[in-house]
Short mmCIF file of all heavy atoms in Angstrom, two decimals:
data_model
loop_
_atom_site.label_atom_id
_atom_site.label_comp_id
_atom_site.label_asym_id
_atom_site.label_seq_id
_atom_site.Cartn_x
_atom_site.Cartn_y
_atom_site.Cartn_z
N ALA A 510 92.30 103.11 83.81
CA ALA A 510 91.84 104.31 84.50
C ALA A 510 91.24 103.86 85.82
O ALA A 510 90.57 102.82 85.88
CB ALA A 510 90.80 105.04 83.67
N PHE A 511 91.48 104.63 86.87
CA PHE A 511 90.90 104.27 88.16
C PHE A 511 90.57 105.53 88.96
O PHE A 511 91.19 106.59 88.76
CB PHE A 511 91.82 103.34 88.96
CG PHE A 511 93.15 103.92 89.36
CD1 PHE A 511 93.30 104.59 90.57
CD2 PHE A 511 94.26 103.75 88.55
CE1 PHE A 511 94.53 105.10 90.96
CE2 PHE A 511 95.50 104.26 88.92
CZ PHE A 511 95.63 104.94 90.13
N THR A 512 89.60 105.41 89.83
CA THR A 512 89.28 106.48 90.77
C THR A 512 89.81 106.08 92.13
O THR A 512 89.86 104.90 92.49
CB THR A 512 87.77 106.74 90.85
OG1 THR A 512 87.07 105.49 91.07
CG2 THR A 512 87.27 107.38 89.56
N MET A 513 90.23 107.08 92.90
CA MET A 513 90.85 106.81 94.19
C MET A 513 90.53 107.90 95.18
O MET A 513 90.08 109.00 94.83
CB MET A 513 92.37 106.68 94.05
CG MET A 513 93.07 107.86 93.38
SD MET A 513 93.22 109.39 94.39
CE MET A 513 94.31 108.81 95.69
N THR A 514 90.76 107.60 96.44
CA THR A 514 90.67 108.57 97.52
C THR A 514 91.76 108.27 98.53
O THR A 514 92.19 107.11 98.67
CB THR A 514 89.28 108.51 98.19
OG1 THR A 514 89.25 109.40 99.33
CG2 THR A 514 88.95 107.12 98.69
N ASP A 515 92.24 109.30 99.21
CA ASP A 515 93.14 109.13 100.34
C ASP A 515 92.71 110.12 101.42
O ASP A 515 91.76 110.89 101.21
CB ASP A 515 94.61 109.28 99.93
CG ASP A 515 94.97 110.67 99.42
OD1 ASP A 515 94.42 111.67 99.92
OD2 ASP A 515 95.84 110.77 98.53
N PRO A 516 93.33 110.12 102.59
CA PRO A 516 92.81 110.95 103.68
C PRO A 516 92.70 112.44 103.37
O PRO A 516 91.90 113.14 104.01
CB PRO A 516 93.80 110.68 104.81
CG PRO A 516 94.25 109.28 104.57
CD PRO A 516 94.37 109.18 103.08
N SER A 517 93.45 112.96 102.42
CA SER A 517 93.36 114.39 102.10
C SER A 517 92.73 114.64 100.73
O SER A 517 92.63 115.79 100.31
CB SER A 517 94.76 115.03 102.14
OG SER A 517 95.60 114.48 101.14
N THR A 518 92.30 113.58 100.05
CA THR A 518 91.77 113.70 98.69
C THR A 518 90.41 113.03 98.62
O THR A 518 90.32 111.80 98.67
CB THR A 518 92.71 113.02 97.68
OG1 THR A 518 94.03 113.55 97.82
CG2 THR A 518 92.21 113.23 96.26
N PRO A 519 89.33 113.81 98.48
CA PRO A 519 88.02 113.17 98.38
C PRO A 519 87.91 112.20 97.21
O PRO A 519 87.28 111.15 97.33
CB PRO A 519 87.07 114.36 98.23
CG PRO A 519 87.78 115.50 98.88
CD PRO A 519 89.22 115.27 98.56
N GLY A 520 88.51 112.56 96.07
CA GLY A 520 88.46 111.65 94.93
C GLY A 520 89.10 112.24 93.71
O GLY A 520 89.00 113.45 93.46
N GLU A 521 89.79 111.41 92.92
CA GLU A 521 90.37 111.81 91.65
C GLU A 521 90.28 110.64 90.67
O GLU A 521 90.23 109.47 91.08
CB GLU A 521 91.84 112.21 91.78
CG GLU A 521 92.12 113.39 92.68
CD GLU A 521 91.69 114.75 92.12
OE1 GLU A 521 91.06 114.76 91.04
OE2 GLU A 521 91.99 115.77 92.75
N LEU A 522 90.28 110.98 89.38
CA LEU A 522 90.42 109.98 88.32
C LEU A 522 91.86 109.98 87.85
O LEU A 522 92.42 111.04 87.53
CB LEU A 522 89.48 110.30 87.16
CG LEU A 522 89.57 109.38 85.92
CD1 LEU A 522 89.14 107.97 86.27
CD2 LEU A 522 88.72 109.93 84.77
N ILE A 523 92.46 108.79 87.80
CA ILE A 523 93.88 108.64 87.48
C ILE A 523 94.03 107.75 86.24
O ILE A 523 93.28 106.78 86.07
CB ILE A 523 94.65 107.99 88.65
CG1 ILE A 523 94.37 108.73 89.97
CG2 ILE A 523 96.14 107.92 88.36
CD1 ILE A 523 94.91 110.12 90.04
N TRP A 524 94.99 108.09 85.38
CA TRP A 524 95.35 107.26 84.23
C TRP A 524 96.69 106.60 84.52
O TRP A 524 97.66 107.27 84.90
CB TRP A 524 95.44 108.10 82.97
CG TRP A 524 95.79 107.31 81.73
CD1 TRP A 524 97.01 107.20 81.14
CD2 TRP A 524 94.89 106.52 80.95
NE1 TRP A 524 96.94 106.39 80.04
CE2 TRP A 524 95.64 105.95 79.89
CE3 TRP A 524 93.52 106.22 81.05
CZ2 TRP A 524 95.07 105.11 78.94
CZ3 TRP A 524 92.96 105.38 80.09
CH2 TRP A 524 93.73 104.83 79.05
N LEU A 525 96.76 105.27 84.35
CA LEU A 525 97.98 104.51 84.60
C LEU A 525 98.41 103.83 83.30
O LEU A 525 97.64 103.07 82.71
CB LEU A 525 97.73 103.45 85.68
CG LEU A 525 98.84 102.41 85.91
CD1 LEU A 525 100.13 103.08 86.39
CD2 LEU A 525 98.37 101.35 86.90
N GLN A 526 99.65 104.11 82.89
CA GLN A 526 100.20 103.48 81.69
C GLN A 526 101.71 103.42 81.81
O GLN A 526 102.35 104.37 82.27
CB GLN A 526 99.80 104.26 80.43
CG GLN A 526 100.19 103.58 79.12
CD GLN A 526 99.57 104.26 77.90
OE1 GLN A 526 98.88 105.26 78.01
NE2 GLN A 526 99.81 103.69 76.73
N ASP A 527 102.29 102.29 81.42
CA ASP A 527 103.74 102.08 81.49
C ASP A 527 104.28 102.35 82.89
O ASP A 527 105.39 102.89 83.06
CB ASP A 527 104.45 102.98 80.47
CG ASP A 527 104.05 102.68 79.04
OD1 ASP A 527 103.78 101.50 78.75
OD2 ASP A 527 103.97 103.63 78.24
N GLY A 528 103.48 102.01 83.90
CA GLY A 528 103.92 102.16 85.27
C GLY A 528 103.86 103.57 85.81
O GLY A 528 104.27 103.82 86.95
N ARG A 529 103.36 104.53 85.00
CA ARG A 529 103.31 105.92 85.43
C ARG A 529 101.86 106.37 85.57
O ARG A 529 101.01 106.06 84.72
CB ARG A 529 104.04 106.83 84.44
CG ARG A 529 105.54 106.59 84.37
CD ARG A 529 106.25 107.69 83.57
NE ARG A 529 105.80 107.71 82.19
CZ ARG A 529 106.35 106.98 81.22
NH1 ARG A 529 107.36 106.18 81.49
NH2 ARG A 529 105.91 107.07 79.98
N GLU A 530 101.59 107.10 86.62
CA GLU A 530 100.25 107.62 86.88
C GLU A 530 100.20 109.11 86.58
O GLU A 530 101.16 109.83 86.82
CB GLU A 530 99.85 107.40 88.35
CG GLU A 530 99.75 105.96 88.77
CD GLU A 530 99.34 105.81 90.22
OE1 GLU A 530 98.92 106.83 90.83
OE2 GLU A 530 99.42 104.70 90.76
N ARG A 531 99.06 109.55 86.05
CA ARG A 531 98.84 110.99 85.93
C ARG A 531 97.38 111.29 86.23
O ARG A 531 96.48 110.52 85.89
CB ARG A 531 99.23 111.51 84.56
CG ARG A 531 98.38 111.05 83.39
CD ARG A 531 98.93 111.63 82.09
NE ARG A 531 98.21 111.19 80.91
CZ ARG A 531 97.21 111.88 80.34
NH1 ARG A 531 96.83 113.04 80.87
NH2 ARG A 531 96.61 111.43 79.26
N ASN A 532 97.17 112.43 86.87
CA ASN A 532 95.82 112.84 87.21
C ASN A 532 95.04 113.25 85.96
O ASN A 532 95.50 114.10 85.18
CB ASN A 532 95.84 114.01 88.19
CG ASN A 532 95.98 113.56 89.62
OD1 ASN A 532 96.78 112.67 89.90
ND2 ASN A 532 95.22 114.16 90.50
N VAL A 533 93.87 112.67 85.79
CA VAL A 533 92.94 113.13 84.76
C VAL A 533 92.13 114.30 85.29
O VAL A 533 91.86 115.26 84.59
CB VAL A 533 92.02 111.97 84.32
CG1 VAL A 533 90.92 112.47 83.40
CG2 VAL A 533 92.84 110.88 83.64
N THR A 534 91.75 114.20 86.56
CA THR A 534 91.01 115.29 87.22
C THR A 534 91.90 115.94 88.27
O THR A 534 92.91 115.37 88.70
CB THR A 534 89.74 114.77 87.89
OG1 THR A 534 90.10 113.76 88.86
CG2 THR A 534 88.78 114.17 86.87
N ASP A 535 91.51 117.13 88.69
CA ASP A 535 92.20 117.84 89.77
C ASP A 535 91.15 118.45 90.69
O ASP A 535 91.15 119.65 90.97
CB ASP A 535 93.13 118.91 89.20
CG ASP A 535 94.12 119.43 90.24
OD1 ASP A 535 94.23 118.81 91.31
OD2 ASP A 535 94.77 120.45 89.97
#
C-alpha cells in the first residue's frame, strides 16, 4: 500500500498487487 500525489491529486492511498494498482481512497 502506498500514498501518492501528482500535480492534480493532493493525495490518495493505492493498493498494488500482481502489478496492478487500485485506488483505496477517492
